[in-house]
Amino acid sequence: MNDEPLYRNKEWLYDQFVLQGKECSEIAKENGWTARVVQKWVQEKNGWRNHTRRDEVKPTDRQLQIIYGGMLGDGCISKRLDIDFTQYIFVQVEHHKDYVNWVLKELWNLCKSKTPSIQIKLKKGFEEEFIYNYQPTYRIATRGYKFLTELYNLSNKDIIDRLDELGLSLYFLDDGCFNKSKQWELCMGSMDENEVDFFINIMKEKFNIDIYKKYLFKNKYGEYWYVKLTVDESKKLNEIILRNIPNELDVIQRKIFRNGDTDVE
């Protein structure tokens, strides 16, 4: 019988600290050790630091799709210019906090904080003299990783081309609206018309979904492209979303089932 403590097992400790992203204190607490002894074997014996995670951790294909969907939707990759630090950030309003916690669970090993941070701010409305409260927002952020620097440099077309059903579902849940007429409409923000047309082609070729309308909305803050699906094509999209995202999440309940679309198989 081998009585050697697990922290002396290099392969096991590498998995815990680097791949699973656990802190020394967390590893120690889970196993009844002191944080100091774990830190000694992590840092002094094996020479692992935060930069080890930054350089060596690779995301799963599923995690990449969650990040791709967020990059087009309500997430972003933030790159510091003064130091080598690039992280992924995802934010949602309070009534989508289940959704945020689901994303956090999926990106668990990439995040230091295991709970979303809550931000409550006063923000200006469209009229400069009008101030009002937005809902509190829930924010998650990963550690800094080298692979995120590579994603930071992707174009919108690169990201769109890499989407699978999961990434597409998240994009529509973030920036889309399923209206009372049971039609999906997607705001494509500041993308140019060429990028919008590329997205329309990908929707047809990869997902067999036709977008029947695109239009440009203009106001004093800018120009924004929108695309719209018919009722039948929207039903196809809902089938994709509901087989890829847990149906009990608040974002699903609010964006799909609140409009009575319960006939999706």
Side-chain angles (χ1 to χ4, degrees):
M1 181 175 179
N2 186 5
D3 293 328
E4 185 174 81
L6 274 173
Y7 58 74
R8 292 175 177 263
N9 183 315
K10 187 173 183 178
E11 183 177 343
W12 180 87
L13 192 57
Y14 182 87
D15 176 75
Q16 294 284 303
F17 178 76
V18 178
L19 300 183
Q20 293 193 40
K22 295 180 181 179
E23 298 300 323
C24 293
S25 57
E26 185 179 0
I27 298 170
K29 184 177 181 180
E30 289 177 354
N31 294 278
W33 306 321
T34 65
R36 174 63 190 124
V37 74
V38 176
Q39 185 181 47
K40 175 182 178 181
W41 280 85
V42 166
Q43 297 182 358
E44 298 174 20
K45 297 290 187 179
N46 291 304
W48 301 326
R49 300 287 194 279
N50 287 333
H51 67 75
T52 309
R53 293 182 180 131
R54 179 196 66 201
D55 295 341
E56 298 183 17
V57 167
K58 303 296 181 185
T60 64
D61 289 343
R62 183 175 178 84
Q63 289 175 329
L64 278 174
Q65 286 300 320
I66 289 170
I67 294 172
Y68 292 151
M71 290 172 70
L72 296 173
D74 292 335
C76 70
I77 292 183
S78 175
K79 188 178 186 327
R80 292 276 298 272
L81 299 178
D82 54 336
I83 59 174
D84 185 11
F85 185 83
T86 309
Q87 66 179 161
Y88 175 70
I89 298 170
F90 182 71
V91 179
Q92 286 286 310
V93 292
E94 184 178 30
H95 61 228
H96 289 164
K97 62 184 178 182
D98 289 350
Y99 179 29
V100 177
N101 279 307
W102 176 79
V103 172
L104 177 61
K105 183 179 179 181
E106 294 287 338
L107 303 180
W108 190 260
N109 65 307
L110 305 179
C111 300
K112 181 175 182 179
S113 175
K114 305 308 181 186
T115 56
S117 62
I118 303 174
Q119 299 174 326
I120 303 176
K121 293 182 178 179
L122 285 172
K123 295 188 177 181
K124 291 186 177 182
F126 284 110
E127 301 299 328
E128 290 299 320
E129 69 275 8
F130 181 58
I131 307 293
Y132 62 95
N133 265 315
Y134 273 141
Q135 289 188 60
T137 57
Y138 283 68
R139 176 184 185 273
I140 63 173
T142 67
R143 297 183 179 89
Y145 293 103
K146 186 176 180 179
F147 79 85
L148 288 172
T149 303
E150 299 167 0
L151 300 188
Y152 177 82
N153 295 314
L154 293 178
S155 68
N156 286 328
K157 283 186 176 181
D158 290 333
I159 301 169
I160 290 168
D161 193 45
R162 297 182 183 196
L163 291 177
D164 68 8
E165 287 191 354
L166 176 59
L168 180 72
S169 299
L170 296 174
Y171 183 24
F172 269 89
L173 288 175
D174 283 1
D175 284 356
C177 173
F178 185 60
N179 60 35
K180 295 296 183 181
S181 299
K182 296 187 177 182
Q183 291 178 273
W184 273 103
E185 192 169 18
L186 178 69
C187 174
M188 302 194 69
S190 59
M191 288 193 196
D192 62 36
E193 188 172 11
N194 184 264
E195 292 169 326
V196 173
D197 288 340
F198 182 79
F199 176 75
I200 291 172
N201 289 334
I202 289 293
M203 287 289 287
K204 176 60 178 177
E205 294 173 4
K206 187 183 289 188
F207 303 105
N208 193 31
I209 293 177
D210 286 309
I211 290 177
Y212 86 96
K213 182 180 180 181
K214 69 175 182 181
Y215 64 92
L216 188 63
F217 173 78
K218 300 180 181 180
N219 62 22
K220 64 181 180 180
Y221 299 99
E223 299 181 351
Y224 310 96
W225 281 101
Y226 283 75
V227 296
K228 195 170 186 178
L229 281 65
T230 64
V231 172
D232 287 340
E233 299 303 296
S234 294
K235 188 170 291 188
K236 289 182 187 178
L237 178 61
N238 279 345
E239 289 173 352
I240 289 175
I241 293 172
L242 294 175
R243 68 170 170 256
N244 283 278
I245 309 295
N247 292 188
E248 69 274 12
L249 292 185
D250 42 24
V251 67
I252 296 289
Q253 294 296 317
R254 290 181 64 87
K255 289 209 169 187
I256 296 181
F257 290 109
R258 73 175 180 181
N259 286 323
D261 189 25
T262 55
D263 58 345
V264 178
E265 295 181 358

